[in-house]
Amino acid sequence: MTDPRPTRLASEVPFDRDGAHRGFVRLFHSVHESAYGFIPIPIVVLRNGEGPTALLISGNHGDEYEGQVALCRLVQTLDVSRIRGRVIVFPLANQPAGLAGRRTSPIDGGNLNRSFPGDPDGTVTQQIAHFLSTVLLPMADLVVDLHSGGSSLVYVPSALCRLPEEASAAASALRYLKAFGAPIAYLPSPSQGTGDDRTLNGTVARSGRIAIGTELGGGGTVTPAALRLAERGVRNLLVELGILPESDRQPGEAPTRILEVGGDAWFVYAPEPGVFEPLVELGEEVAAGQPAAKIWFPETPWRAPETVRFLRDGFVLCRRQPGRTARGDCLFHLGTDTGL
Ligand code: ZN
């Protein structure tokens, strides 16, 4: 159920008027340096008559840049006269985290994608989550939330989706996941203690609607390949939704291989603090028991390294980026074929 309490954020741009509207959502933030100031969260609304609505989000995590660049490029190239319906672009969702180049907000430490459904009277990050939950998400027929590995992880560039429970909605979600056109896509599990209840995708799935996510790469940077995949994928989703004409569709080079990330056995964690030496590459097929990494101890250089092993067979979808590693850091996670 949607929170009945109204948002305290105010959009400078209208949502129901034809044309291209650019401006900011104002999050009022009264601090020592600025008594009546607001945090300007950029928003673009393109509308051309009646039709479906796509909500395109990046910067949910501030250090995931591929989606931010892809949506800047889209905002500067998408001709409003060519669309049918509405495209809402919210490209720096956690604006304070984005400006800081960090996963989480420097103001309240908030991780936006663990803050749903949010709170209109809460911290800055909780207020953004509540605005998304109660204002932007309910308008959308399709939500696209562009993530990547950020500073601490690197992914095989991929699309993902939490399938809604209802069968026809799940079939539609699979159709959108394939339409994105990534070589690899995956169905995540509510693992790592997050459950489904605090993420944006989980919030959308619970409402019975469809959110397509991505893990576009990561390592705290942008690559040409990840950017191409993101731009093509977003436009393909707009075609699939009927907002852009069919002639704009750019199919992927191969059919999408859909994997699942089933739970704890798909993950490899560091057992001790030290320096992480990966023993496999992203995109490799590995077997249960195969060595995944060594943890070295340069502060005690004569100590033998610890070897960490994969718990099951799978495709290496994600690995940790920094070498220095603490006990409990995720080093790898796998995906396994679904046959979907
Ligand atoms: Zn993210």
Side-chain angles (χ1 to χ4, degrees):
M1 201 183 92
T2 303
D3 191 332
R5 295 174 298 169
T7 182
R8 294 185 187 279
L9 280 62
S11 175
E12 295 175 356
V13 304
F15 293 106
D16 50 6
R17 239 187 284 153
D18 279 356
H21 309 279
R22 310 171 183 112
F24 299 95
V25 172
R26 298 180 174 192
L27 192 165
F28 294 96
H29 188 53
S30 178
V31 291
H32 178 79
E33 296 78 10
S34 184
Y36 295 164
F38 63 85
I39 294 170
I41 309 175
I43 189 164
V44 176
V45 178
L46 305 171
R47 186 179 186 276
N48 187 17
E50 296 299 320
T53 294
L55 171 61
L56 311 179
I57 298 167
S58 59
N60 181 335
H61 290 132
D63 62 341
E64 299 173 7
Y65 302 109
E66 299 91 333
Q68 296 177 35
V69 175
L71 292 189
C72 285
R73 290 172 61 104
L74 184 82
V75 159
Q76 294 179 30
T77 54
L78 192 58
D79 178 355
V80 69
S81 70
R82 292 190 71 245
I83 71 168
R84 182 182 75 85
R86 182 168 56 174
V87 179
I88 302 172
V89 188
F90 201 53
L92 200 57
N94 195 345
Q95 188 262 20
L99 294 193
R102 296 182 63 83
R103 179 172 180 82
T104 52
S105 174
I107 297 175
D108 56 15
N111 178 341
L112 178 58
N113 214 30
R114 301 290 184 274
S115 300
F116 286 84
D119 183 346
D121 301 322
T123 66
V124 164
T125 307
Q126 290 165 345
Q127 288 183 55
I128 297 170
H130 181 267
F131 175 77
L132 276 157
S133 296
T134 60
V135 179
L136 296 185
L137 298 182
M139 286 193 273
D141 297 294
L142 178 71
V143 178
V144 184
D145 189 24
L146 300 171
H147 287 256
S148 79
S151 305
S152 72
L153 299 171
V154 188
Y155 269 85
V156 174
S158 46
L160 65 106
C161 181
R162 291 181 197 279
L163 293 187
E165 279 185 17
E166 200 267 314
S168 68
S172 299
L174 270 180
R175 187 166 53 80
Y176 283 111
L177 192 58
K178 291 176 180 174
F180 189 90
I184 298 288
Y186 72 95
L187 311 177
S189 71
S191 55
Q192 309 142 305
T194 64
D196 238 358
D197 51 345
R198 292 184 298 162
T199 65
L200 187 150
N201 276 358
T203 302
V204 176
R206 266 197 311 286
S207 73
R209 285 169 301 124
I210 298 168
I212 299 296
T214 62
E215 293 294 356
L216 288 167
T221 190
V222 178
T223 65
L227 197 54
R228 273 196 302 276
L229 188 80
E231 290 191 79
R232 187 183 71 189
V234 167
R235 284 179 181 269
N236 283 344
L237 291 176
L238 295 179
V239 171
E240 191 68 27
L241 192 55
I243 288 178
L244 280 175
E246 189 60 38
S247 55
D248 279 24
R249 191 186 295 268
Q250 290 182 278
E253 294 77 29
T256 300
R257 177 180 172 189
I258 298 181
L259 307 174
E260 72 165 330
V261 182
D264 289 346
W266 276 251
F267 289 78
V268 174
Y269 285 95
E272 290 203 56
V275 172
F276 162 48
E277 179 201 357
L279 298 176
V280 299
E281 300 283 354
L282 281 174
E284 263 187 55
E285 306 285 345
V286 299
Q290 181 176 337
K294 289 185 191 297
I295 303 293
W296 292 89
F297 309 101
E299 68 278 23
T300 316
W302 45 86
R303 182 179 166 193
E306 289 286 333
T307 299
V308 197
R309 295 173 190 278
F310 290 104
L311 297 175
R312 57 160 304 134
D313 298 356
F315 172 92
V316 180
L317 196 51
C318 173
R319 89 166 148 67
R320 177 177 170 79
Q321 172 74 357
R324 182 48 75 170
T325 296
R327 175 180 289 155
D329 285 335
C330 174
L331 302 180
F332 288 103
H333 82 73
L334 303 175
T336 47
D337 280 305
T338 59
L340 290 169

